[in-house]
Amino acid sequence: GAGVSQSPRYKVAKRGQDVALRCDPISGHVSLFWYQQALGQGPEFLTYFQNEAQLDKSGLPSDRFFAERPEGSVSTLKIQRTQQEDSAVYLCASRERTGNTEAFFGQGTRLTVV
Amino acid sequence: GDSVTQMEGPVTLSEEAFLTINCTYTATGYPSLFWYVQYPGEGLQLLLKATKADDKGSNKGFEATYRKETTSFHLEKGSVQVSDSAVYFCALRREYNFNKFYFGSGTKLNVKP
């Protein structure tokens, strides 16, 4: 596709449920990022992939959060046993190559935990 | 730690008014500075950037100058349009780490005709 695509756009989960959020980066983009944006706040870094390698996961808030990119393309962010504080917009971004180049963001997945 | 502070919104202006959105940062070294814009229903888009002190980033009539001495990167536009209504995020990226942005909390701009 022309841009970064995320699905679903909206997700409502009951507390304790597991969820999986998908990101389709721009084709051929090497770098992929996940950010979490709480209501009224700026995005906060979660994790970074270079191809299939997860090089930085320092922003994942707990071991309930897990991200993968097994073939260096599509990525999935999984949240286990969701809690209300996980409610946020989850943003994915991709970048053509490493280094000081522009990252392109998707529209995000809005997760609401009830 | 590294952080970005930007003025709270919402900011409401009439069309053709002058816009300033303040942004200050805390970081060691010489980070790169960015302004991103988020239009309703869309993803974040890079608006402009500056990578070293005294650089001026500009795009679509918006400007921001990297001021090391005041650790600031204020966004300005001389004459706003209704189509500029959006949320604006100031962000920094560390000098030797291109893989992590630190964003401010965003400033919503409403421009009235």
Side-chain angles (χ1 to χ4, degrees), chain A residues 9 31 33 35 37 40-45 48 56 58-59 91 95 98-108, chain B residues 6 32 34 36 38 40-47 49 51 87 89 93 97-106:
Chain A
R9 288 292 312 280
S31 301
F33 311 83
Y35 282 79
Q37 186 177 11
Q41 301 298 314
E44 291 194 2
F45 174 84
Y48 162 67
D56 187 343
S58 62
L91 299 171
R95 188 176 64 192
T98 59
N100 192 15
T101 55
E102 183 177 351
F104 295 87
F105 284 80
Q107 293 176 292
Chain B
Q6 58 183 109
S32 294
F34 303 81
Y36 277 83
Q38 188 171 36
E42 298 185 15
L44 288 169
Q45 299 176 24
L46 178 64
L47 180 60
K49 69 178 183 181
T51 57
V87 181
F89 292 92
R93 196 170 63 190
N97 183 347
F98 300 130
N99 302 323
K100 184 185 293 188
F101 286 95
Y102 297 83
F103 285 90
S105 56

Side-chain angles (χ1 to χ4, degrees), chain B:
Chain B
D2 297 356
S3 66
V4 173
T5 302
Q6 58 183 109
M7 61 188 290
E8 290 190 19
V11 173
T12 301
L13 297 173
S14 297
E15 205 164 23
E16 299 183 2
F18 184 85
L19 168 71
T20 300
I21 300 178
N22 290 337
C23 171
T24 58
Y25 68 90
T26 301
T28 55
Y30 296 87
S32 294
L33 301 174
F34 303 81
W35 277 99
Y36 277 83
V37 59
Q38 188 171 36
Y39 297 103
E42 298 185 15
L44 288 169
Q45 299 176 24
L46 178 64
L47 180 60
L48 53 85
K49 69 178 183 181
T51 57
K52 60 183 188 293
D54 300 325
D55 264 3
K56 178 184 285 188
S58 61
N59 186 26
K60 299 182 181 180
F62 290 90
E63 292 183 340
T65 301
Y66 187 165
R67 301 288 188 199
K68 181 71 173 173
E69 64 275 15
T70 54
T71 62
S72 65
F73 193 55
H74 305 320
L75 182 68
E76 297 182 335
K77 187 175 185 181
S79 176
V80 294
Q81 306 300 312
V82 172
S83 57
D84 293 328
S85 297
V87 181
Y88 292 81
F89 292 92
C90 185
L92 72 81
R93 196 170 63 190
R94 287 180 181 169
E95 191 173 3
Y96 298 113
N97 183 347
F98 300 130
N99 302 323
K100 184 185 293 188
F101 286 95
Y102 297 83
F103 285 90
S105 56
T107 303
K108 186 172 183 179
L109 171 65
N110 296 315
V111 181
K112 297 188 173 181

Side-chain angles (χ1 to χ4, degrees), chain A residues 2 13 17-18 24 28-29 34 38 48 52 59-60 67 77-78 81 89 95 98 109-110 113:
Chain A
Q17 189 177 358
D18 296 351
D24 283 85
H29 277 201
W34 285 98
Y48 162 67
E52 68 278 5
L60 296 176
L77 177 66
K78 298 179 179 178
R81 305 181 302 282
V89 175
R95 188 176 64 192
T98 59
T109 294
R110 181 178 296 278
V113 181

